[in-house]
Amino acid sequence: MLLQEILSWSQSLPAWQSDAVARLLAKQTLTADDRDDLFALLKTAHGIADPNDRKPKPLTADQIPAPVGTTTDVELLAIKNMQHVNAIAPNQRLPFNSGGMTVIYGDNGSGKSGYSRVLKRACRARDQMEAIHPNANLPVAKTGTAKAIFEITVDGVGQDVNWTDGKEAPPALSSIAIFDSRCARAYLDREDDFSYVPYGLDVFEGLAKVCKQLKTAIESEHAQSAPDLSAFVPLHGDTPVGKLIEGLSARTKQADIDTLATLSKVDLDQHATLDKSLKENNPLEKAAQLRLRARRVTTIATNAINKGALIDKTVVAKLRGLANSYRTAQTAAGLAANQFKESESLLPGTGGEAWRELFEAARRFALESHPEATFPNLDANSPCPLCQQPLAEGANRLLRFESFIQGEAEKTAQAWRFALYAEYNPFIEHVLALNIDDVTYTEIESLDPELAKDVRAFEGALTARQEAVKAAVVSHQWEGTDQEIANPSTRFQALADKLNAEAETLEKASDEKERAALQKQFAELDARIRFSQVKDAVALAVARLGHQAKLKRCLSAVRTNAISLKATELAEKVVSKELADALNREFKDLGVGTLQVSLQSRSDKGKALHKLKLELPQSRSPSEILSEGEQRAIAIGSFLAEVGLSGGNGGIVFDDPVSSLDHRRRERVAKRLAVEAAKRQVIVYTHDIYFLCLLAEETKLAGSQIATQSLTRRSEGFGVADPDLPFEGKSTSKRIGALKAQQQTIAKLHRDGEEQEYQRQVVDAYFRLRMTWERAVEEVLLREVVIRFRKGIETQRLAGVVVEDADYAQVYSGMTKCSNYAHDKALQGGIAFPEPDELLADIVALDDWRKSIDDRSKVTAKKRKV
């Protein structure tokens, strides 16, 4: 089977191309959106991201008819229990004749299209583009996925198969072919050369066409993506940047771009230094000046380090520890002094700090005033070293004072005091100014304004820290004295190193060999700086080059060689003289015999190649030469020819096959389908009552079975299956039966006082009664000699025809009365509406006349045949 071979082949294709095959099998012509989708999928397959994140949907087995054996006999008996299909009424069953023809009539809006769409999906027809929607009048919560049950027989064994939209259709239903006007197609091979393409084979031409369109789109995008590299020409040269720019391609790495475009402050400073050095007229003299300046800056750096060390955290911590220890010892000595004072009547403060200093001063003075004695061992007659009065009793008191001074607590306090002041006194004597003169400060300010500002702040911070520590020794408030002070020494040293480096560069610049190296270094740095300014543009150019490289790979993927080879391979299998003959027979039967198909063969590299050439009267497209009706007839003929050669005997379904056909070609189609109904199951959906009558007549002539029924709209919904045809398609007797049923409804309306609806129904009943009189004249009085919609006149039926004056009077009277009520003016007033009983009497009168004429005609026919 051709479609199965296409499926097998598509599985070897890239996913985007298999998606294209699936679309071409589902659509007659791909839309602009389809082409956009396929272009995006093609690019995604070659590394170009799709912003809409579209995914390919390759062709799958459930999208084409399943393989069914040619000897397998599958018949469709009914569709039932359709759910969530438009507004189709629930629990419906639409039966079909197991053989012969089944005609389902339905006016527009009857639900016929719902059944047709389900059949197309379930039988995997080519045309499945029409969506199946649930009932729009129901809330979303009560809707769901379309479902249906199919009653079928497989080789005579009955079974029910379930179909659900979106799931794989039952394989057995694939043996039923659905007529699709796109089952055959003509396309232009080359100028003025049209060929017929069997169902499925046209996919290759469509795919090749898509590939050509994609090739054009790729080339266009490739041209639009070309980067403008002329802007980077100034960067060319013998530098890393120049080499990267000259070799710019899709393979250029972003990391290499980033490395060259990223410069540190050292790089920028070096670039500035080299620029100045290479421009300097007397580099050696300038170098000497820089060396001298660097030494001054180094001195400041060293001084800052040394000054900072004088009051750093270590020094402050040591002073704080000594002060705390002294304070603790002093507290202990104070307790001892209080005990000492309490033992004698002494002045306030005795034993305190001031008193201790006074006592020690007396000790020192005694070395001069009493050289012969050792203080405080003075006798009572010795003068006091302080008041210079005889000591008397004071001599013993001095000894007691000495004993107090020599006490343990007092000695400890004194020891800590000496230790504290041994550190404290030098600390407060430190000169912390960096002694930067105005000239030097101005020089620093010109080199680094921020550093000049910070060094002043540093000097102030040193002095403030010194004062804070001095105060803390007395107040013992040390908070904030241990915070780190930002020392600019490192920055000064860095500045000195920079000045020395500039000096070294200048010294090298004075040497010709060294100068060349510096010029090369400067050129590389300068190129990198300029490169950094266009970094984003370079990255964009590389991205565009990468995009172009991916597009080139896309170009390779749209070559059509493999498609042409596969098309040729399959064409050899399906294009044959048998197909050409079958097509010509069908075209002739359907009234387009002027269009001929001929098998043309040629040899290519020893291999025979065939095609079916369409012999057109003019060298223009078939759509321009042939009418819409002729094109429809060609489609039907092509469908029947291919079905006939398929080898199977599965049923065929037609949905309104005669749209766009005139009455003569409708007759031909009806006759052809009637013949086909003798071979296989034929199901026809139509809204054309004339075509229905033609089908009934031709099927009867062909000796085939025919079943007719209709789809109607009722209160429970659309698509209600009715075994009877609509009123227009009924016989006289069935019309009379329908009128009697309608009269019962009218009588009830009259009893219930529904006057307005009653009047409307009466008008409709008399309109239909008039139609029944007309049908009775054709069918009963004239014995079907002449029937509306029938193409011929059956003169042999005249044997039973007798028209008497009474017949004329009866028909005239009945038609006149019907016309009186079956008119809009009846509803506008001025005409008295008949009672229900009168309507019934008029219906019975027609029925009685029909019966009497029928009896009379039979007798007359019998007499005339004798």
Side-chain angles (χ1 to χ4, degrees):
M1 184 178 181
L2 179 59
L3 293 182
Q4 290 298 322
E5 294 213 36
I6 291 174
L7 171 64
S8 178
W9 175 69
S10 72
Q11 292 169 347
S12 67
L13 299 176
W16 73 267
Q17 211 164 37
S18 182
D19 183 302
V21 172
R23 293 176 192 242
L24 288 165
L25 282 172
K27 297 181 178 181
Q28 182 173 2
T29 305
L30 296 189
T31 65
D33 287 342
D34 288 320
R35 290 192 292 274
D36 287 344
D37 289 345
L38 292 172
F39 192 27
L41 294 174
L42 167 62
K43 291 193 292 184
T44 299
H46 292 86
I48 301 174
D50 175 21
N52 296 323
D53 196 28
R54 284 165 281 198
K55 304 296 182 186
K57 297 178 181 178
L59 181 67
T60 56
D62 62 342
Q63 292 176 273
I64 62 173
V68 179
T70 55
T71 60
T72 302
D73 184 14
V74 179
E75 291 182 341
L76 179 60
L77 301 184
I79 306 176
K80 63 185 180 181
N81 298 339
M82 288 206 302
Q83 300 177 44
H84 311 300
V85 178
N86 306 133
I88 299 295
N91 304 316
Q92 293 300 304
R93 181 180 183 275
L94 182 63
F96 307 103
N97 266 5
S98 60
M101 182 180 293
T102 302
V103 182
I104 299 100
Y105 175 85
D107 290 324
N108 292 331
S110 64
K112 180 166 55 67
S113 61
Y115 284 92
S116 174
R117 290 172 188 174
V118 169
L119 266 172
K120 287 180 179 180
R121 295 287 177 92
C123 298
R124 308 189 192 186
R126 184 168 189 178
D127 181 12
Q128 298 183 36
M129 295 309 298
E130 291 180 296
I132 300 176
H133 298 292
N135 191 340
N137 297 319
L138 292 178
V140 176
K142 291 187 177 182
T143 61
T145 304
K147 298 178 181 179
I149 299 175
F150 289 80
E151 292 180 19
I152 63 173
T153 63
V154 180
D155 293 332
V157 179
Q159 58 179 279
D160 284 1
V161 292
N162 295 293
W163 168 82
T164 301
D165 194 20
K167 294 184 179 181
E168 184 176 356
L173 295 178
S174 293
S175 68
I176 299 170
I178 310 293
F179 170 70
D180 176 1
S181 61
R182 295 182 287 118
C183 290
R185 190 176 312 170
Y187 68 94
L188 182 63
D189 272 337
R190 58 189 65 84
E191 187 176 359
D192 300 338
D193 188 4
F194 293 94
S195 297
Y196 169 81
V197 185
Y199 176 32
L201 197 59
D202 57 321
V203 165
F204 295 95
E205 178 68 14
L207 185 58
K209 182 179 179 181
V210 167
C211 287
K212 291 175 183 176
Q213 292 171 334
L214 293 178
K215 180 176 182 288
T216 301
I218 292 167
E219 291 171 342
S220 174
E221 187 167 320
H222 186 277
Q224 293 172 4
S225 301
D228 181 10
L229 301 180
S230 62
F232 308 135
V233 171
L235 292 173
H236 287 190
D238 188 20
T239 65
V241 168
K243 293 175 182 177
L244 182 142
I245 291 297
E246 289 173 6
L248 210 61
S249 71
R251 294 187 295 275
T252 302
K253 298 179 181 178
Q254 182 64 41
D256 295 338
I257 295 174
D258 292 338
T259 298
L260 288 175
T262 303
L263 293 98
S264 65
K265 186 175 184 304
V266 173
D267 293 329
L268 296 173
D269 290 343
Q270 179 69 3
H271 175 265
T273 298
L274 289 170
D275 188 28
K276 291 179 183 178
S277 299
L278 293 171
K279 292 177 180 178
E280 185 63 47
N281 293 326
N282 194 340
L284 288 177
E285 181 181 341
K286 183 67 174 178
Q289 293 174 1
L290 291 175
R291 295 282 189 191
L292 182 60
R293 183 178 295 172
R295 286 195 290 273
R296 290 197 293 270
V297 173
T298 300
T299 299
I300 296 173
T302 303
N303 203 10
I305 292 172
N306 294 336
K307 298 295 184 181
L310 294 176
I311 60 164
D312 63 11
K313 293 172 67 174
T314 303
V315 172
V316 173
K318 185 175 182 180
L319 283 171
R320 183 174 184 175
L322 290 171
N324 288 339
S325 297
Y326 173 57
R327 184 182 183 189
T328 302
Q330 195 176 29
T331 300
L335 292 173
N338 287 337
Q339 293 174 356
F340 173 64
K341 286 191 294 180
E342 290 173 357
S343 64
E344 298 187 42
S345 178
L346 300 175
L347 294 173
T350 301
E353 186 66 28
W355 177 83
R356 287 190 188 93
E357 292 181 5
L358 179 62
F359 189 79
E360 292 300 326
R363 187 194 300 277
R364 290 191 297 273
F365 181 65
L367 294 174
E368 296 181 13
S369 62
H370 301 77
E372 73 287 352
T374 301
F375 187 85
N377 296 316
L378 301 178
D379 58 35
N381 295 322
S382 297
C384 174
L386 297 178
C387 67
Q388 300 187 8
Q389 295 293 322
L391 286 170
E393 295 181 4
N396 292 330
R397 186 171 292 164
L398 283 176
L399 291 173
R400 291 196 299 277
F401 284 172
E402 177 67 11
S403 177
F404 167 73
I405 290 296
Q406 295 303 318
E408 187 63 33
E410 183 62 21
K411 286 177 69 176
T412 299
Q414 289 301 314
W416 282 115
R417 182 175 183 278
F418 291 146
L420 170 62
Y421 281 96
E423 297 292 333
Y424 175 74
N425 287 334
F427 177 81
I428 62 175
E429 295 299 327
H430 290 325
V431 177
L432 300 177
L434 298 181
N435 298 319
I436 302 174
D437 58 60
D438 291 342
V439 174
T440 302
Y441 182 80
T442 301
E443 190 174 53
I444 295 170
E445 193 172 33
S446 66
L447 294 171
D448 190 338
E450 197 65 27
L451 181 57
K453 177 181 174 183
D454 290 345
V455 76
R456 289 295 192 210
F458 176 66
E459 286 183 300
L462 291 176
T463 303
R465 177 61 53 81
Q466 185 182 44
E467 293 300 321
V469 171
K470 285 169 64 177
V473 168
V474 177
S475 65
H476 304 292
Q477 300 297 319
W478 294 91
E479 291 77 6
T481 59
D482 59 349
Q483 292 182 356
E484 196 72 45
I485 296 176
N487 194 321
S489 59
T490 303
R491 292 160 64 193
F492 272 104
Q493 188 58 54
L495 177 59
D497 293 343
K498 178 184 176 184
L499 293 170
N500 282 322
E502 290 179 9
E504 184 179 358
T505 302
L506 284 166
E507 289 163 355
K508 289 180 179 179
S510 64
D511 181 89
E512 185 175 345
K513 185 176 180 180
E514 293 286 354
R515 184 179 183 85
L518 292 179
Q519 286 175 330
K520 181 179 180 182
Q521 185 180 2
F522 173 77
E524 291 179 356
L525 285 171
D526 190 63
R528 288 179 63 193
I529 289 173
R530 288 183 289 132
F531 180 70
S532 68
Q533 296 167 354
V534 294
K535 170 190 169 184
D536 292 342
V538 172
L540 179 60
V542 170
R544 284 176 170 266
L545 290 169
H547 189 72
Q548 285 189 312
K550 293 172 182 177
L551 289 172
K552 284 183 179 179
R553 292 197 291 273
C554 290
L555 275 177
S556 300
V558 295
R559 291 174 181 165
T560 58
N561 308 60
I563 298 171
S564 299
L565 287 173
K566 191 64 181 181
T568 300
E569 174 192 334
L570 294 182
E572 294 307 306
K573 296 181 180 181
V574 298
V575 176
S576 62
K577 186 176 186 303
E578 289 78 13
L579 178 57
D581 292 342
L583 286 168
N584 287 328
R585 284 194 304 270
E586 296 293 347
F587 293 165
K588 182 179 180 180
D589 289 345
L590 294 172
V592 283
T594 54
L595 178 67
Q596 289 289 313
V597 175
S598 61
L599 179 67
Q600 292 192 349
S601 302
R602 64 184 177 86
S603 178
D604 183 9
K605 298 179 181 179
K607 183 178 180 181
L609 302 178
H610 309 296
K611 69 175 181 178
L612 297 174
K613 181 175 173 58
L614 295 173
E615 303 290 351
L616 298 175
Q618 300 177 38
S619 58
R620 286 184 292 161
S621 168
S623 61
E624 296 177 357
I625 300 171
L626 304 173
S627 69
E628 188 176 347
E630 288 174 320
Q631 292 182 56
R632 173 57 68 97
I634 290 171
I636 295 173
S638 303
F639 173 77
L640 291 170
E642 293 184 25
V643 167
L645 292 177
S646 66
N649 56 357
I652 54 177
V653 179
F654 292 85
D655 183 11
D656 275 333
V658 294
S659 298
S660 308
L661 298 183
D662 58 31
H663 70 282
R664 290 188 179 85
R665 194 160 280 120
R666 290 187 195 185
E667 293 170 2
R668 287 178 176 270
V669 171
K671 183 176 183 178
R672 178 65 188 85
L673 296 185
V675 171
E676 194 67 24
K679 305 175 186 177
R680 68 180 78 241
Q681 184 182 35
V682 176
I683 299 170
V684 180
Y685 288 87
T686 184
H687 69 278
D688 188 330
I689 196 70
Y690 169 55
F691 184 58
L692 184 151
C693 294
L694 287 174
L695 287 170
E697 181 182 352
E698 293 295 345
T699 305
K700 188 183 300 183
L701 291 174
S704 300
Q705 301 177 17
I706 184 169
T708 57
Q709 55 188 309
S710 61
L711 295 173
T712 62
R713 176 183 180 183
R714 295 181 183 169
S715 59
E716 58 265 40
F718 295 81
V720 177
D722 189 333
D724 289 329
L725 289 174
F727 194 84
E728 295 86 344
K730 294 180 186 292
S731 65
T732 302
S733 60
K734 288 187 176 182
R735 291 187 184 190
I736 290 172
L739 284 168
K740 286 180 178 179
Q742 186 176 7
Q743 189 274 339
Q744 296 297 315
T745 301
I746 291 172
K748 185 176 184 306
L749 290 171
H750 188 265
R751 289 194 301 271
D752 293 343
E754 299 286 343
E755 189 65 23
Q756 188 173 0
E757 181 62 16
Y758 163 73
Q759 292 180 2
R760 192 188 69 78
Q761 288 275 5
V762 167
V763 170
D764 181 65
Y766 274 100
F767 177 79
R768 299 173 80 184
L769 183 58
R770 184 176 65 183
M771 291 173 62
T772 307
W773 273 107
E774 292 173 348
R775 177 65 179 172
V777 170
E778 294 177 346
E779 178 187 326
V780 182
L781 183 61
L782 299 181
R783 306 301 290 171
E784 298 185 357
V785 173
V786 179
I787 293 291
R788 187 171 2 190
F789 301 143
R790 193 173 66 195
K791 61 181 179 179
I793 298 175
E794 297 188 10
T795 56
Q796 71 275 15
R797 290 181 174 273
L798 286 171
V801 175
V802 175
V803 180
E804 298 178 352
D805 291 346
D807 298 326
Y808 164 75
Q810 187 87 13
V811 172
Y812 181 80
S813 174
M815 290 287 290
T816 301
K817 185 171 184 180
C818 289
S819 298
N820 190 43
Y821 294 120
H823 200 281
D824 289 342
K825 67 180 181 180
L827 293 173
Q828 297 172 1
I831 296 177
F833 278 86
E835 296 291 320
D837 290 343
E838 184 179 348
L839 171 61
L840 180 59
D842 291 336
I843 296 171
V844 170
L846 171 58
D847 194 24
D848 291 343
W849 179 80
R850 178 190 67 81
K851 291 176 181 176
S852 66
I853 297 301
D854 189 50
D855 292 341
R856 187 185 70 188
S857 295
K858 290 178 181 177
V859 173
T860 301
K862 188 175 181 181
K863 288 179 180 179
R864 289 177 176 172
K865 287 180 179 179
V866 171

